[in-house]
Amino acid sequence: MQTVTVTGAQAQAQAQAQAQAHAQAQAHALAAALGRADQPVVLRALVAHWPVVQAGLRSAQAACDHLLGFYRDATVDAWLGDPGIGGRFFYNDDFSGFNFRPERLRLDTVLQRLLQPRQDAAPPALYVGSTTVDTCLPGFRAANHLDLGGRDALMSLWLGNRTRIAAHHDLPDNLACVAAGRRRFTLFPPDQVANLYIGPLDLTPAGQAISLVDFAQPDLQRHPKFAQAMAAAQVVDLGPGDALFIPSLWWHQVEALDPFNLLINYWWRDAPAHMDSPINALMHAMLSVRDLPPAQRRAWAALFDHYVFGAGAHDTDHIPPHARGVLSPLQPDAARMLRARLLRKLNR
Protein backbone atom coordinates (compact mmCIF):
# COMPACT_ATOMS: atom_id res chain seq x y z
CA MET A 1 0.00 0.00 0.00
CA GLN A 2 1.40 3.34 -1.01
CA THR A 3 1.82 5.89 1.76
CA VAL A 4 1.47 9.57 0.92
CA THR A 5 2.78 12.20 3.27
CA VAL A 6 0.76 15.40 3.30
CA THR A 7 2.55 18.54 4.38
CA GLY A 8 0.92 21.16 6.56
CA ALA A 9 0.49 23.47 3.58
CA GLN A 10 -1.07 20.67 1.52
CA ALA A 11 -3.42 19.74 4.33
CA GLN A 12 -4.52 23.36 4.66
CA ALA A 13 -5.08 23.60 0.90
CA GLN A 14 -7.12 20.38 0.93
CA ALA A 15 -9.23 21.63 3.83
CA GLN A 16 -9.86 24.92 2.04
CA ALA A 17 -10.82 23.07 -1.15
CA GLN A 18 -13.19 20.82 0.78
CA ALA A 19 -14.76 23.80 2.53
CA GLN A 20 -15.20 25.59 -0.78
CA ALA A 21 -16.75 22.50 -2.38
CA HIS A 22 -19.11 22.14 0.58
CA ALA A 23 -20.11 25.80 0.38
CA GLN A 24 -20.84 25.46 -3.35
CA ALA A 25 -22.91 22.30 -2.80
CA GLN A 26 -24.70 24.00 0.09
CA ALA A 27 -25.54 27.08 -1.99
CA HIS A 28 -26.77 24.88 -4.87
CA ALA A 29 -29.00 22.79 -2.59
CA LEU A 30 -30.42 25.86 -0.90
CA ALA A 31 -31.05 27.67 -4.18
CA ALA A 32 -32.87 24.59 -5.52
CA ALA A 33 -34.99 24.41 -2.37
CA LEU A 34 -35.92 28.07 -2.45
CA GLY A 35 -36.84 27.69 -6.11
CA ARG A 36 -39.76 25.58 -4.86
CA ALA A 37 -41.02 28.38 -2.67
CA ASP A 38 -44.57 27.00 -2.42
CA GLN A 39 -43.63 23.67 -0.79
CA PRO A 40 -41.61 22.71 2.32
CA VAL A 41 -38.17 21.29 1.61
CA VAL A 42 -35.94 19.27 3.96
CA LEU A 43 -32.21 19.99 3.64
CA ARG A 44 -30.26 17.32 5.48
CA ALA A 45 -26.91 18.40 6.95
CA LEU A 46 -27.23 21.88 5.43
CA VAL A 47 -25.54 23.50 8.44
CA ALA A 48 -23.69 20.47 9.82
CA HIS A 49 -20.43 22.40 9.38
CA TRP A 50 -21.48 25.19 11.74
CA PRO A 51 -19.27 25.43 14.84
CA VAL A 52 -22.35 25.57 17.06
CA VAL A 53 -23.63 22.30 15.56
CA GLN A 54 -20.28 20.63 16.04
CA ALA A 55 -20.20 21.86 19.64
CA GLY A 56 -23.71 20.55 20.28
CA LEU A 57 -22.75 17.12 18.99
CA ARG A 58 -20.10 17.00 21.73
CA SER A 59 -22.45 18.06 24.51
CA ALA A 60 -25.11 20.55 25.54
CA GLN A 61 -22.49 22.23 27.69
CA ALA A 62 -20.24 22.73 24.65
CA ALA A 63 -23.14 24.28 22.70
CA CYS A 64 -23.83 26.66 25.59
CA ASP A 65 -20.16 27.56 25.81
CA HIS A 66 -20.20 28.42 22.10
CA LEU A 67 -23.19 30.73 22.60
CA LEU A 68 -21.64 32.35 25.65
CA GLY A 69 -18.55 33.15 23.62
CA PHE A 70 -20.66 35.83 21.86
CA TYR A 71 -22.80 36.83 24.83
CA ARG A 72 -22.75 40.47 25.97
CA ASP A 73 -25.21 40.52 28.92
CA ALA A 74 -28.39 40.61 26.80
CA THR A 75 -31.73 39.59 28.28
CA VAL A 76 -34.31 37.47 26.46
CA ASP A 77 -38.05 36.84 26.65
CA ALA A 78 -38.58 33.42 28.23
CA TRP A 79 -41.73 31.37 28.77
CA LEU A 80 -41.93 29.33 31.99
CA GLY A 81 -44.51 26.60 32.46
CA ASP A 82 -45.27 24.17 35.27
CA PRO A 83 -44.48 20.49 34.73
CA GLY A 84 -48.19 19.78 34.43
CA ILE A 85 -48.47 21.45 31.02
CA GLY A 86 -46.27 18.74 29.51
CA GLY A 87 -44.25 21.28 27.56
CA ARG A 88 -47.35 22.49 25.70
CA PHE A 89 -47.57 26.28 25.78
CA PHE A 90 -51.25 27.10 25.41
CA TYR A 91 -54.24 28.99 26.80
CA ASN A 92 -55.51 28.63 30.35
CA ASP A 93 -58.78 26.80 30.94
CA ASP A 94 -61.13 29.76 30.40
CA PHE A 95 -59.10 31.42 27.59
CA SER A 96 -58.59 34.56 29.66
CA GLY A 97 -54.82 34.13 29.40
CA PHE A 98 -52.21 31.42 29.07
CA ASN A 99 -50.86 28.41 30.94
CA PHE A 100 -47.35 29.88 31.20
CA ARG A 101 -45.78 33.03 32.54
CA PRO A 102 -43.46 35.27 30.52
CA GLU A 103 -40.29 36.46 32.20
CA ARG A 104 -37.35 38.58 31.09
CA LEU A 105 -34.14 36.70 31.88
CA ARG A 106 -30.46 36.92 31.12
CA LEU A 107 -29.50 34.43 28.44
CA ASP A 108 -26.75 32.92 30.59
CA THR A 109 -29.36 32.30 33.31
CA VAL A 110 -31.54 30.44 30.81
CA LEU A 111 -28.62 28.31 29.69
CA GLN A 112 -27.71 27.53 33.28
CA ARG A 113 -31.26 26.38 34.02
CA LEU A 114 -31.32 24.16 30.94
CA LEU A 115 -28.07 22.51 31.96
CA GLN A 116 -29.06 21.85 35.56
CA PRO A 117 -29.25 18.07 36.15
CA ARG A 118 -32.78 17.05 37.09
CA GLN A 119 -34.11 13.92 38.70
CA ASP A 120 -37.77 14.55 37.88
CA ALA A 121 -39.15 12.99 34.71
CA ALA A 122 -41.24 16.08 33.95
CA PRO A 123 -39.25 19.26 34.58
CA PRO A 124 -40.76 22.73 34.27
CA ALA A 125 -41.09 23.87 30.66
CA LEU A 126 -38.62 26.54 29.58
CA TYR A 127 -38.66 28.19 26.18
CA VAL A 128 -37.00 31.19 24.54
CA GLY A 129 -38.34 32.09 21.11
CA SER A 130 -37.67 34.57 18.32
CA THR A 131 -34.60 36.23 19.81
CA THR A 132 -32.68 38.35 17.30
CA VAL A 133 -29.18 36.89 17.04
CA ASP A 134 -27.38 40.04 15.94
CA THR A 135 -28.45 41.95 19.07
CA CYS A 136 -28.24 39.10 21.56
CA LEU A 137 -25.11 37.34 20.27
CA PRO A 138 -23.09 39.75 18.12
CA GLY A 139 -20.62 37.86 15.97
CA PHE A 140 -22.53 34.56 16.06
CA ARG A 141 -23.86 35.03 12.52
CA ALA A 142 -20.38 35.50 11.06
CA ALA A 143 -19.07 32.41 12.88
CA ASN A 144 -22.06 30.31 11.77
CA HIS A 145 -22.57 31.59 8.26
CA LEU A 146 -25.12 30.55 5.66
CA ASP A 147 -25.22 32.05 2.17
CA LEU A 148 -28.85 32.94 1.44
CA GLY A 149 -28.17 34.33 -1.99
CA GLY A 150 -28.35 37.99 -1.09
CA ARG A 151 -31.60 37.78 0.90
CA ASP A 152 -31.83 40.31 3.71
CA ALA A 153 -32.92 37.79 6.35
CA LEU A 154 -33.55 38.20 10.04
CA MET A 155 -31.62 35.55 12.01
CA SER A 156 -33.30 34.39 15.23
CA LEU A 157 -32.60 31.97 18.06
CA TRP A 158 -35.05 29.47 19.63
CA LEU A 159 -34.00 27.61 22.76
CA GLY A 160 -35.53 25.34 25.37
CA ASN A 161 -36.15 21.89 26.76
CA ARG A 162 -38.89 19.45 25.68
CA THR A 163 -41.58 21.85 24.51
CA ARG A 164 -44.50 21.90 22.08
CA ILE A 165 -45.36 25.03 20.13
CA ALA A 166 -48.88 24.90 18.73
CA ALA A 167 -49.48 24.93 14.99
CA HIS A 168 -49.33 28.48 13.64
CA HIS A 169 -48.22 30.24 10.48
CA ASP A 170 -45.79 33.07 9.81
CA LEU A 171 -45.94 35.74 7.14
CA PRO A 172 -42.28 35.53 6.05
CA ASP A 173 -40.62 32.57 4.40
CA ASN A 174 -38.73 30.59 7.02
CA LEU A 175 -35.55 28.52 6.97
CA ALA A 176 -35.31 26.61 10.26
CA CYS A 177 -31.87 25.15 11.10
CA VAL A 178 -31.48 22.70 13.98
CA ALA A 179 -28.28 23.46 15.88
CA ALA A 180 -28.69 21.08 18.83
CA GLY A 181 -31.21 18.44 19.85
CA ARG A 182 -34.00 17.05 17.66
CA ARG A 183 -37.19 18.70 16.48
CA ARG A 184 -40.35 17.33 14.92
CA PHE A 185 -42.24 19.58 12.52
CA THR A 186 -45.82 18.86 11.50
CA LEU A 187 -46.74 21.01 8.50
CA PHE A 188 -50.03 21.78 6.76
CA PRO A 189 -50.69 23.73 3.56
CA PRO A 190 -52.53 27.04 3.95
CA ASP A 191 -55.80 25.59 2.64
CA GLN A 192 -56.11 23.42 5.78
CA VAL A 193 -57.02 26.42 7.93
CA ALA A 194 -60.65 25.29 8.27
CA ASN A 195 -59.56 21.86 9.57
CA LEU A 196 -57.10 23.07 12.22
CA TYR A 197 -59.57 24.81 14.57
CA ILE A 198 -57.69 28.08 14.82
CA GLY A 199 -58.10 30.09 18.00
CA PRO A 200 -58.55 33.83 18.61
CA LEU A 201 -56.83 36.33 16.33
CA ASP A 202 -56.52 39.08 18.93
CA LEU A 203 -55.38 37.05 21.96
CA THR A 204 -52.45 34.89 20.96
CA PRO A 205 -49.40 33.49 22.77
CA ALA A 206 -46.85 35.17 20.49
CA GLY A 207 -48.68 37.24 17.89
CA GLN A 208 -49.90 34.48 15.58
CA ALA A 209 -53.18 32.60 15.91
CA ILE A 210 -52.70 28.95 16.87
CA SER A 211 -54.49 25.64 16.42
CA LEU A 212 -56.52 24.61 19.46
CA VAL A 213 -55.98 20.91 18.78
CA ASP A 214 -53.67 19.01 21.13
CA PHE A 215 -51.60 17.10 18.60
CA ALA A 216 -50.43 14.61 21.22
CA GLN A 217 -54.03 13.73 22.16
CA PRO A 218 -56.39 15.01 19.45
CA ASP A 219 -60.05 14.96 20.46
CA LEU A 220 -61.73 14.01 17.19
CA GLN A 221 -65.19 14.29 18.73
CA ARG A 222 -64.54 17.92 19.51
CA HIS A 223 -62.33 18.55 16.45
CA PRO A 224 -63.53 16.03 13.82
CA LYS A 225 -62.12 17.88 10.79
CA PHE A 226 -58.60 17.55 12.22
CA ALA A 227 -58.48 14.06 10.69
CA GLN A 228 -58.65 15.72 7.27
CA ALA A 229 -55.84 18.07 8.23
CA MET A 230 -53.62 15.17 9.27
CA ALA A 231 -54.33 13.43 5.96
CA ALA A 232 -52.75 16.47 4.29
CA ALA A 233 -49.95 16.88 6.84
CA GLN A 234 -46.22 16.47 6.31
CA VAL A 235 -44.26 15.28 9.35
CA VAL A 236 -40.48 15.48 9.48
CA ASP A 237 -37.91 14.88 12.22
CA LEU A 238 -34.76 16.98 12.07
CA GLY A 239 -31.46 16.34 13.80
CA PRO A 240 -28.45 18.59 14.41
CA GLY A 241 -27.32 20.22 11.17
CA ASP A 242 -30.60 19.60 9.33
CA ALA A 243 -32.73 22.42 7.98
CA LEU A 244 -36.31 22.87 6.79
CA PHE A 245 -37.67 25.50 4.43
CA ILE A 246 -41.22 26.50 5.45
CA PRO A 247 -43.03 28.66 2.87
CA SER A 248 -45.02 31.69 3.92
CA LEU A 249 -48.36 30.90 5.60
CA TRP A 250 -47.77 27.16 5.93
CA TRP A 251 -49.08 25.99 9.30
CA HIS A 252 -46.51 24.21 11.45
CA GLN A 253 -46.33 22.70 14.91
CA VAL A 254 -42.85 22.37 16.39
CA GLU A 255 -42.00 19.78 19.04
CA ALA A 256 -38.60 19.71 20.74
CA LEU A 257 -37.68 16.11 21.51
CA ASP A 258 -34.60 16.42 23.75
CA PRO A 259 -33.79 18.05 27.11
CA PHE A 260 -31.67 20.67 25.34
CA ASN A 261 -32.72 22.09 21.98
CA LEU A 262 -31.36 24.98 19.95
CA LEU A 263 -32.74 26.16 16.63
CA ILE A 264 -31.59 29.03 14.43
CA ASN A 265 -33.94 30.35 11.79
CA TYR A 266 -33.96 32.94 9.02
CA TRP A 267 -37.01 34.98 8.04
CA TRP A 268 -37.41 37.04 4.88
CA ARG A 269 -40.12 38.32 2.56
CA ASP A 270 -39.91 38.31 -1.21
CA ALA A 271 -41.98 41.47 -1.45
CA PRO A 272 -41.26 45.16 -2.05
CA ALA A 273 -40.44 47.08 1.12
CA HIS A 274 -43.37 49.47 0.57
CA MET A 275 -45.95 46.67 0.82
CA ASP A 276 -48.00 46.50 4.01
CA SER A 277 -48.65 43.27 5.89
CA PRO A 278 -51.56 41.35 4.33
CA ILE A 279 -52.90 40.64 7.82
CA ASN A 280 -53.87 44.33 7.95
CA ALA A 281 -56.05 43.82 4.87
CA LEU A 282 -57.61 40.74 6.48
CA MET A 283 -58.46 42.67 9.64
CA HIS A 284 -59.91 45.56 7.66
CA ALA A 285 -61.99 43.14 5.59
CA MET A 286 -63.45 41.80 8.85
CA LEU A 287 -64.27 45.36 9.82
CA SER A 288 -65.84 46.35 6.51
CA VAL A 289 -66.94 43.22 4.59
CA ARG A 290 -67.43 40.11 6.72
CA ASP A 291 -70.76 41.10 8.32
CA LEU A 292 -72.46 42.32 5.13
CA PRO A 293 -75.48 40.41 3.79
CA PRO A 294 -74.49 37.25 1.88
CA ALA A 295 -75.30 38.69 -1.54
CA GLN A 296 -73.09 41.71 -0.90
CA ARG A 297 -70.25 39.50 0.35
CA ARG A 298 -70.43 37.51 -2.88
CA ALA A 299 -70.32 40.75 -4.85
CA TRP A 300 -67.27 41.90 -2.92
CA ALA A 301 -65.64 38.50 -3.41
CA ALA A 302 -65.96 39.06 -7.16
CA LEU A 303 -64.38 42.51 -6.85
CA PHE A 304 -61.52 41.20 -4.69
CA ASP A 305 -60.91 38.42 -7.18
CA HIS A 306 -60.86 40.85 -10.09
CA TYR A 307 -58.69 43.56 -8.53
CA VAL A 308 -56.48 41.50 -6.19
CA PHE A 309 -56.40 37.72 -6.38
CA GLY A 310 -57.04 37.32 -10.09
CA ALA A 311 -55.43 40.56 -11.26
CA GLY A 312 -53.64 40.21 -14.59
CA ALA A 313 -51.08 42.26 -16.46
CA HIS A 314 -53.56 43.35 -19.15
CA ASP A 315 -56.64 44.03 -17.01
CA THR A 316 -56.17 47.80 -17.35
CA ASP A 317 -55.27 47.99 -21.05
CA HIS A 318 -58.55 49.82 -21.68
CA ILE A 319 -57.46 52.72 -19.42
CA PRO A 320 -54.84 55.26 -20.57
CA PRO A 321 -51.61 54.64 -18.62
CA HIS A 322 -51.57 58.12 -17.05
CA ALA A 323 -55.09 57.58 -15.66
CA ARG A 324 -54.67 54.14 -14.03
CA GLY A 325 -53.81 55.43 -10.57
CA VAL A 326 -53.74 52.65 -7.96
CA LEU A 327 -54.50 50.14 -10.72
CA SER A 328 -50.91 50.57 -11.89
CA PRO A 329 -48.17 48.50 -10.24
CA LEU A 330 -47.51 50.26 -6.95
CA GLN A 331 -44.24 52.12 -6.49
CA PRO A 332 -43.03 53.53 -3.14
CA ASP A 333 -44.41 57.04 -3.69
CA ALA A 334 -47.81 55.76 -4.81
CA ALA A 335 -47.88 53.32 -1.89
CA ARG A 336 -47.27 56.17 0.57
CA MET A 337 -50.09 58.21 -0.96
CA LEU A 338 -52.47 55.25 -0.83
CA ARG A 339 -51.54 54.55 2.80
CA ALA A 340 -52.16 58.20 3.72
CA ARG A 341 -55.56 58.08 1.99
CA LEU A 342 -56.54 54.94 3.90
CA LEU A 343 -55.43 56.43 7.21
CA ARG A 344 -57.59 59.50 6.62
CA LYS A 345 -60.60 57.26 5.93
CA LEU A 346 -59.93 55.02 8.95
CA ASN A 347 -59.64 58.03 11.23
CA ARG A 348 -62.93 59.56 10.13
Side-chain angles (χ1 to χ4, degrees):
M1 178 181 297
Q2 182 181 11
T3 300
V4 178
T5 301
V6 179
T7 67
Q10 289 173 324
Q12 184 178 12
Q14 288 180 1
Q16 291 175 344
Q18 290 173 353
Q20 185 176 7
H22 176 81
Q24 291 175 345
Q26 175 195 75
H28 178 76
L30 187 57
L34 300 184
R36 298 175 53 198
D38 62 338
Q39 292 289 324
V41 180
V42 177
L43 296 154
R44 297 291 181 190
L46 179 72
V47 295
H49 64 289
W50 276 2
V52 67
V53 174
Q54 294 300 311
L57 290 173
R58 294 194 297 274
S59 68
Q61 179 68 65
C64 291
D65 289 343
H66 181 83
L67 295 179
L68 291 173
F70 304 96
Y71 182 56
R72 299 295 182 270
D73 298 328
T75 56
V76 296
D77 291 317
W79 291 356
L80 307 175
D82 295 333
I85 73 172
R88 184 192 184 210
F89 293 100
F90 195 62
Y91 292 93
N92 58 16
D93 290 340
D94 64 0
F95 277 70
S96 62
F98 306 103
N99 67 352
F100 60 91
R101 63 187 186 278
E103 193 169 331
R104 191 77 181 172
L105 298 173
R106 288 172 55 93
L107 179 61
D108 54 354
T109 300
V110 172
L111 296 174
Q112 184 180 26
R113 291 189 185 184
L114 288 172
L115 291 175
Q116 286 176 350
R118 307 196 66 92
Q119 303 302 321
D120 45 346
L126 174 57
Y127 175 75
V128 172
S130 192
T131 298
T132 304
V133 167
D134 292 338
T135 56
C136 181
L137 299 171
F140 178 92
R141 182 195 287 257
N144 299 272
H145 176 67
L146 185 62
D147 184 0
L148 293 174
R151 290 174 173 83
D152 183 17
L154 178 69
M155 187 184 197
S156 298
L157 173 149
W158 312 74
L159 178 71
N161 51 17
R162 289 189 176 97
T163 58
R164 291 187 287 150
I165 303 304
H168 62 284
H169 67 202
D170 299 305
L171 176 60
D173 288 324
N174 183 358
L175 183 68
C177 305
V178 175
R182 296 170 299 131
R183 300 226 178 192
R184 176 170 297 149
F185 287 78
T186 305
L187 303 110
F188 306 87
D191 63 10
Q192 290 301 309
V193 58
N195 298 327
L196 288 172
Y197 297 90
I198 304 304
L201 296 182
D202 42 8
L203 177 63
T204 67
Q208 295 82 26
I210 65 171
S211 170
L212 301 186
V213 180
D214 184 347
F215 282 32
Q217 296 178 314
D219 183 346
L220 294 183
Q221 289 189 331
R222 188 176 184 182
H223 305 127
K225 292 188 293 184
F226 183 66
Q228 300 176 45
M230 284 306 300
Q234 301 180 35
V235 182
V236 58
D237 287 359
L238 301 182
D242 293 337
L244 172 66
F245 171 67
I246 306 173
S248 172
L249 299 185
W250 271 69
W251 298 91
H252 51 287
Q253 172 178 283
V254 188
E255 182 178 0
L257 303 176
D258 290 317
F260 179 83
N261 294 270
L262 172 63
L263 182 139
I264 303 295
N265 91 304
Y266 299 88
W267 272 325
W268 68 88
R269 288 192 67 194
D270 288 329
H274 61 263
M275 284 188 64
D276 282 340
S277 170
I279 193 67
N280 295 338
L282 177 64
M283 292 295 188
H284 192 224
M286 291 180 180
L287 175 66
S288 57
V289 177
R290 184 189 60 186
D291 295 334
L292 291 173
Q296 293 185 32
R297 290 204 306 272
R298 290 193 295 271
W300 278 106
L303 287 174
F304 269 79
D305 188 63
H306 177 72
Y307 285 111
V308 179
F309 301 111
H314 301 290
D315 290 347
T316 58
D317 285 354
H318 58 288
I319 304 175
H322 68 274
R324 291 172 186 171
V326 297
L327 296 178
S328 300
L330 283 179
Q331 300 299 321
D333 287 345
R336 282 191 291 270
M337 293 176 62
L338 179 56
R339 187 177 296 108
R341 184 188 307 172
L342 289 172
L343 287 173
R344 287 196 298 270
K345 289 181 178 294
L346 287 171
N347 291 326
R348 60 184 174 84

